[in-house]
Each structure stands twice: as structure tokens, then as C-alpha cells.
Amino acid sequence: MSQPAPRPAGITVMERGWLSSNNILLHGATAEEGAILVDTGYASHSAQTLALIANALRPREVVRLIANTHLHSDHCGGNHAVSKRYDCPILIPPGEFSAIAQWNESALSYVATGQQCEQFSPAGKLIPGDTLPQGSLDWQIHAAPGHDPHSIILFEPESRTLISADALWERGFGIVFPELDGDCAFAEVESTLAVIEDLQPKLVIPGHGAPFQDLQTALNSARERLEYFIRKPERHALHAVRALTVFHMLEVRQSSLEELLTWLQRTPILISTWQSFFSSTTLSVWTNQLLQELVRAGALRQDSNTIYARGV
């Protein structure tokens, strides 16, 4: 069994598995300086997030700043609750700053993906090329398009620690959402992987899953997966709709079969993906088949006419 990757001093990783994004505390040089929290998980898990943060903070330390790697609801859904608890500002990548500031849900991903995010107000931008200072360290901000066109990653050159969000996991990367919208973004995934390879981090803290050290194996795995999706974009689309359905169920925990089928058949990104890749069958048949496959695979659990998230 491989040993857990060691954490540099001053970093606490609250691993959330695949339920919410990992929460990462960057502690200050002193308790009085306060901590930076990177990503806040789902809105529906805010109580758990607040409890994890309170347990991880040092004596007399508070969260002084929230920094979001990107604005998918599993990474920023807890912003409202955490900023309210600690009265701290929120920094976000610049690409959707206006949409968030105006809370224009039509311009954000929440309507399209059928997910939830409590409204919050950003105080500033995490601009690629700038640094995010904390203690005696400066975290470099790098653009990381692909999974999300506006995503950023954070790299600390002294310890060579990378917060990779959904740009690189130990075994892959996040859904390439622009591809589902008909935009070409697989090349951006490779460009971001090249940026990460050039940085040569010794420790990678992903958005989901445990921190890891074997960069080259992770990059090889990600590139193999990317090449497969480029050859077979319908497989990426199928992976995406399965993942979005499971993430929805993790968010709501349980649903009647009728409610879940209604959600699947009314969520814009799922409808457009069906139209682009799977319209040889009807939407009703396709969504029923999708749920049956997820139940057979153990990703969801069904008891009569009720569907449950795994582990519920």
C-alpha cells in the first residue's frame, strides 16, 4: 500500500473524496495573520465544511480570505456560508467576475448543469501571472483552461506544491465542459498539462482525491485519457452525463425516480449532450437507460421508486 504524500508545513488538506471539492487551508506565518481557504465545496454540505474548517484552524486563527480555483458549484458552493462565518473576502478567477458580481445565472454554469450555489459577492480577482501572498510564501497564479475555460491553479515554488483543482487528478482530470457546449477544448487540456509538467511540482493537491507525488504517472494517465476522448468524443460525453448525474445525487442525497428523470430531462447541458451524441434514441429512453446503468454499476442505489446516492 502506498504511503500518503507528506504535506508541507503550513498546509492542511481536508480531503472530501468525490462528494465535494477538497478544502485546502494555507496557514499564515502566525495565527494572527489568518488562513487562506482554497475552495469551499457544495452549498448543501456547508455545515460539514464549517465543522472541518473549525477543527483544522490553529488556536486563535481564523479564515482571512477565500480563494476559488474556479466557479463550479462543488468548489464555491460554500462561499456564502464560510464568508459569513468569518467575515472574509472572496477572490475568484477573472473570467466570470462580472457574471458573479451581477449574479447572472444565465451566464454561469449553475442553470445549465442543474446544480445549486448560494449567492455570494466577490471582492477581487485571482489574475494569472500575479501571486497570492501568504506568510512568507508567494503562490503563483496560472491559467488552467480545459475543464473550465476560466480555471486557475496555484503553485508555490519553494516547496514545489501545486494546487491543481480539476486540471489534474492522480488518475485523470475533470469533465471538459466546453466540449459539451460544442467548443473545442481538448487542446486546452493538453496545454494545461504542459504547464503543469513545466512547473515540475513535488506535491500535487487535486480538487478531488488524495494529494500525490508521482507527477509523471499522473500526467501519463491524463494524456492517455485525453487521447481516448479525442478519438471517441461520445465516450467523454457519456462519462460527463454519468458524472453529472452522480454529482447531482450526491448533492440531493435521495430523489424519487420521477423527480430524477424530470431533472435529467430538463437540465440544459444534459439535453444538449443527448441531442449532440445520443439522439438516435428518445430522450425518455436514454435517461431511463442512463439511470439503469448507474444503478447496475453501483454508482446509485435504487429501492423501489426511490434513488439514493452511493453510501446513503
Side-chain angles (χ1 to χ4, degrees):
M1 180 181 294
S2 61
Q3 295 297 313
R7 316 291 202 267
I11 299 176
T12 298
V13 180
M14 292 166 277
E15 185 183 344
R16 305 293 286 273
W18 300 95
L19 186 63
S20 291
S21 68
N22 293 338
N23 310 132
I24 305 155
L25 278 175
L26 308 178
H27 301 282
T30 65
E32 289 71 24
E33 181 181 358
I36 293 176
L37 177 66
V38 180
D39 290 339
T40 61
Y42 271 128
S44 56
H45 305 306
S46 292
Q48 183 187 48
T49 301
L50 289 170
L52 289 169
I53 293 167
N55 186 63
L57 288 170
R58 296 168 174 173
R60 303 185 311 281
E61 187 179 41
V62 298
V63 176
R64 72 171 180 87
L65 177 68
I66 295 168
N68 291 131
T69 58
H70 58 298
L71 298 179
H72 291 163
S73 61
D74 59 321
H75 287 256
C76 67
N79 280 10
H80 173 81
V82 177
S83 63
K84 182 178 180 181
R85 171 69 60 88
Y86 293 100
D87 191 25
C88 60
I90 301 166
L91 301 185
I92 67 174
E96 292 179 311
F97 188 90
S98 294
I100 286 287
Q102 299 168 15
W103 204 251
N104 182 352
E105 294 196 355
S106 296
L108 298 167
S109 64
Y110 314 132
V111 171
T113 60
Q115 294 182 339
Q116 304 166 15
C117 186
E118 285 191 88
Q119 184 172 349
F120 64 90
S121 298
K125 303 175 183 178
L126 295 165
I127 299 175
D130 287 354
T131 59
L132 179 64
Q134 176 67 336
S136 61
L137 305 176
D138 286 319
W139 289 82
Q140 299 173 357
I141 303 168
H142 295 268
H147 166 68
D148 177 86
H150 310 297
S151 183
I152 58 100
I153 54 179
L154 298 169
F155 180 67
E156 198 288 294
E158 185 173 314
S159 63
R160 307 204 70 78
T161 299
L162 176 71
I163 297 174
S164 65
D166 292 343
L168 179 67
W169 300 334
E170 190 168 14
R171 295 178 181 85
F173 46 83
I175 297 166
V176 187
F177 279 97
E179 287 283 337
L180 302 181
D181 295 329
D183 299 326
C184 297
F186 286 143
E188 291 185 332
V189 175
E190 172 53 41
S191 296
T192 294
L193 294 176
V195 168
I196 292 172
E197 188 167 35
D198 287 343
L199 292 173
Q200 283 294 300
K202 291 182 178 179
L203 176 69
V204 179
I205 303 173
H208 302 266
F212 60 90
Q213 293 178 294
D214 191 345
L215 174 67
Q216 199 56 56
T217 297
L219 287 170
N220 291 343
S221 176
R223 284 173 169 143
E224 287 175 8
R225 189 173 184 82
L226 178 60
E227 289 172 6
Y228 176 70
F229 286 155
I230 291 171
R231 292 196 311 271
K232 296 180 179 292
E234 73 279 3
R235 299 303 298 180
H236 171 260
L238 183 59
H239 159 69
V241 297
R242 287 171 173 169
L244 286 167
T245 304
V246 171
F247 268 59
H248 169 71
M249 288 305 302
L250 289 169
E251 188 173 40
V252 302
R253 298 184 66 79
Q254 72 178 64
S255 171
S256 72
L257 177 59
E258 182 181 0
E259 288 172 339
L260 183 53
L261 286 170
T262 298
W263 180 84
L264 286 165
Q265 293 166 14
R266 292 182 178 177
T267 298
I269 198 168
L270 299 177
I271 296 171
S272 62
T273 301
W274 165 73
Q275 290 172 333
S276 297
F277 294 96
F278 307 108
S279 59
S280 59
T281 187
T282 67
L283 179 61
S284 176
V285 169
W286 178 69
T287 52
N288 273 280
Q289 289 176 341
L290 173 66
L291 287 186
Q292 291 169 13
E293 290 169 0
L294 289 170
V295 170
R296 282 198 300 269
L300 299 176
R301 180 170 64 86
Q302 183 172 4
D303 181 7
S304 186
N305 288 320
T306 303
I307 305 293
Y308 298 89
R310 185 172 58 186
V312 174

